[in-house]
Amino acid sequence: VHPAYGSGNSTASTDEGSVTSSGSYTSSSASSSASDGASGRCSFVAGCGNFSIQYNYTCASIATAIMVSHHGLTGNGLRPDYPQPDWAKTCLLSVVFIGSVVGMLTMGFLGDFLGIKQALVLTNSLTMFGAMASALLSWGSSETVWAVITASRFVLGVGVGGNYP
């Protein structure tokens, strides 16, 4: 029996890869090493995303502690620089986690719809926007500052949650 018509185990090799007698193509190591490089970049971007998540959570906690102090000092009899409203005391921390759940539920779908790369860019952009908005858009009365920070933390949470699915 001729090898091309036999068991299907014969292959034709080229510099770019090989084709089996059944018509399937396997790539060479040069193309596979390019794929490894792309995989390494994706792993690096995902690692940076996870680092930024923890960094933003920690910074948000530190910023809250500074805002409820008076020129960096705390204690009885000192009036905070930005008094924290009652609603902010109860929902400021939970809004980040609510945003994370929303991000987990929506970004997985967007990854399927837009593609992983575009969804990763979107979720990291939301994380960056939420962090930058809380830093740059917080001015005005105490109530306004806390409202902006709460909304920014929700956006940050959506971006953070999108990195996990």
Side-chain angles (χ1 to χ4, degrees), residues 49 57 65 75 131 134 140 154 162:
Y57 280 155
S134 67
F154 178 78

Side-chain angles (χ1 to χ4, degrees), residues 50-118:
N50 284 328
F51 172 78
S52 72
I53 291 165
Q54 296 306 320
Y55 178 78
N56 283 309
Y57 280 155
T58 302
C59 286
S61 299
I62 292 170
T64 301
I66 291 171
M67 288 177 62
V68 296
S69 69
H70 179 69
H71 299 296
L73 302 172
T74 58
N76 293 334
L78 293 176
R79 186 176 182 277
D81 294 332
Y82 292 93
Q84 192 174 26
D86 291 334
W87 63 266
K89 289 177 187 174
T90 59
C91 75
L92 197 58
L93 181 61
S94 62
V95 76
V96 175
F97 296 109
I98 292 169
S100 293
V101 170
V102 169
M104 287 177 195
L105 293 174
T106 59
M107 292 300 171
F109 170 75
L110 285 177
D112 292 339
F113 184 71
L114 299 174
I116 298 298
K117 184 176 180 182
Q118 287 82 9

